[in-house]
Structure formats: structure tokens, C-alpha cells
Amino acid sequence: VDTISATHVRLESEEPMMPGSSRRSEEYDSNTEQFKQLADRRDAQAALRLLDTLKESTALHNVDFRASLTNHNLTLRACKRSRPPFHIEARRLLLQMRECGPSPTLQTYHEVIATLARAHEWRIAERTFAELRLDFPEHIPSIKLYTSLISAYGKGGQWDKAKSAFDTLVEEN
């Protein structure tokens, strides 16, 4: 049985960056590697627990901590890869992010819509895609985002909606 440790949280680190990682504008968190491993193992329950543990441990020490966007997105990836997909939890985490932060990105929306597609939840995927359009009105959704939506429609037997989304994809890109 694997144990999850959230004993050490660093928001700003002097440690060298891990290969393939980026600090861009998001906080660096030493638990990111653990989130990557959980996503790779498709362990959504453990990723969600770790995210909650990090939030709770920082609240106990009266620290204003918002787990990094990367860790949220990796948790969503674990939800997507889990069998069956943790679509309810993914949608709930997206709503929490929209309310409390960190602000969701296009990658965040992709992970959630892809999770919903794997769960055959085309209606919720469609609603989430509409929310994406409202949150990013200046942005044309990527092929990856449209592919996730089209996949949700296809798995739901919504062929006309899938074709319409594909046609919109072709027009916009």
C-alpha cells in the first residue's frame, strides 16, 4: 500500500527545476512529482486525497496556500485516466477552482472535458465547453479541446452534434 506524504510543501524553492517542468507564473511545489506519479498510475483517489491534505495542512498553519495549478491539473489528469473515470470529482474540482482558485486554464478544461468524454457524459461536457467559451471569450478552443468534445458526443451517440462541433473546429482553426 502506498502512503501519501504531504509533510513538506514549498511554495518558493531554491531547488533546481525538475526536467520537463516549468515554473512560469505558477508556484513551484515539491509535491508535483508525487502528483505526476499518481496521474501516471491512474490513482485519482490518492491524488484527490493529497490535494486535500495539502490544503488542510497549510490551513492549520494559518498559511494562505493555493495548491499550484500544475498539481490541480495533474489531479484532473488522474481523474481522467482512472478506470472508471472520476468525472464527478473532476467537475467538482473545476467548480472549486473557478470559485476559490487557482484559476482554471485551457489545459484544466481539456482534462475535465476529456474525463467527461471517457465517462460518456456528453451533456456535462457540452456545458463545460460552453463555460470554457465564457471564461475565455477571446480564445479559439484548440483542436485538442474540440476533439474531447467530439469524443463526448460520439460516445453519447450524438452524431449531429459531433459533426457540428467538427464543422465549427474546421471553420475556427
Side-chain angles (χ1 to χ4, degrees):
V1 175
D2 291 322
T3 58
I4 299 173
S5 116
T7 56
H8 183 67
V9 177
R10 286 178 80 133
L11 297 180
E12 296 178 359
S13 173
E14 295 79 42
E15 298 172 14
M17 275 182 18
M18 294 179 291
S21 69
S22 169
R23 291 189 190 155
R24 283 179 262 168
S25 62
E26 55 205 54
E27 308 110 16
Y28 176 75
D29 180 335
S30 62
N31 292 289
T32 299
E33 188 58 37
Q34 207 169 355
F35 280 101
K36 286 180 186 176
Q37 291 170 1
L38 293 171
D40 289 344
R41 289 196 332 240
R42 302 174 179 171
D43 195 345
Q45 278 186 319
L48 289 161
R49 256 193 332 268
L50 178 58
L51 197 61
D52 285 344
T53 300
L54 289 173
K55 289 177 185 178
E56 289 170 13
S57 69
T58 55
L60 288 174
H61 295 97
N62 202 21
V63 175
D64 182 22
F65 172 74
R66 293 177 357 158
S68 77
L69 178 60
T70 300
N71 293 346
H72 278 78
N73 285 345
L74 287 168
T75 300
L76 290 168
R77 183 171 298 158
C79 289
K80 174 181 72 180
R81 291 179 175 175
S82 180
R83 294 182 192 212
F86 277 50
H87 64 284
I88 295 168
E89 294 81 356
R91 177 74 181 154
R92 186 177 301 133
L93 183 55
L94 172 64
L95 295 175
Q96 287 174 0
M97 290 172 71
R98 290 177 74 195
E99 221 173 274
C100 305
S103 297
T105 62
L106 296 169
Q107 180 64 33
T108 306
Y109 278 97
H110 163 71
E111 296 293 351
V112 174
I113 294 169
T115 303
L116 294 165
R118 289 199 61 229
H120 299 236
E121 293 288 346
W122 68 268
R123 287 179 183 91
I124 304 170
E126 182 178 64
R127 183 174 346 140
T128 303
F129 192 85
E131 292 167 359
L132 158 85
R133 296 284 236 172
L134 292 174
D135 286 352
F136 295 92
E138 302 296 318
H139 183 78
I140 296 173
S142 66
I143 293 171
K144 183 167 74 169
L145 280 161
Y146 268 111
T147 300
S148 294
L149 179 63
I150 292 167
S151 175
Y153 285 144
K155 289 176 181 176
Q158 302 300 308
W159 312 119
D160 291 338
K161 289 182 177 275
K163 170 124 177 42
S164 177
F166 179 77
D167 292 342
T168 303
L169 164 66
V170 171
E171 288 172 17
E172 289 182 353
N173 288 294

